[in-house]
Amino acid sequence: MKIVKIYALPTCPHCMALKKYLNDNKIEFKNIDVEADEDAAKEIIKKTGQSGFPVIDIDGKITIGFSKEELKSLLK
C-alpha cells in the first residue's frame, strides 16, 4: 500500500477538493495542516522550491496541486 501524505491549508479550495477526492475513493492519507505546522510548511517548501498547496507526497514522489489524472498515475 502506498503512503500518501498531503500538505494542505484548511481553507484552500484545491486542498479541500483533494481531500474529498481521496475520501470518496477510499484512499488513506495523512493530512498535514501547514497553517498549524509551520515546520512542516518550511520543510516542504524547501524540498519542492514552491509555496503552492496542496503538495502530495506518495512514497516520496511529490506533485504540487490537484490533478486527478496525475494523482491516478502516481497511485498505480
Side-chain angles (χ1 to χ4, degrees):
M1 179 156 73
K2 297 190 181 273
I3 298 171
V4 179
K5 290 190 270 186
I6 62 168
Y7 296 80
L9 292 163
T11 57
C12 162
H14 301 291
C15 301
M16 289 186 274
L18 169 61
K19 289 186 266 188
K20 181 179 181 337
Y21 175 83
L22 293 171
N23 283 323
D24 288 350
N25 287 279
K26 297 179 178 29
I27 299 167
E28 290 185 38
F29 64 95
K30 178 180 180 183
N31 180 59
I32 299 153
D33 179 349
V34 294
E35 190 172 81
D37 188 341
E38 289 181 25
D39 290 336
K42 289 176 187 173
E43 176 187 328
I44 201 66
I45 290 169
K46 183 178 178 182
K47 189 182 278 189
T48 65
Q50 305 259 344
S51 59
F53 293 98
V55 174
I56 308 161
D57 180 335
I58 301 173
D59 288 340
K61 294 180 183 170
I62 294 177
T63 185
I64 299 166
F66 174 43
S67 162
K68 288 180 187 177
E69 293 77 25
E70 190 171 356
L71 189 58
K72 286 177 187 177
S73 173
L74 289 171
L75 287 168
K76 286 184 182 181

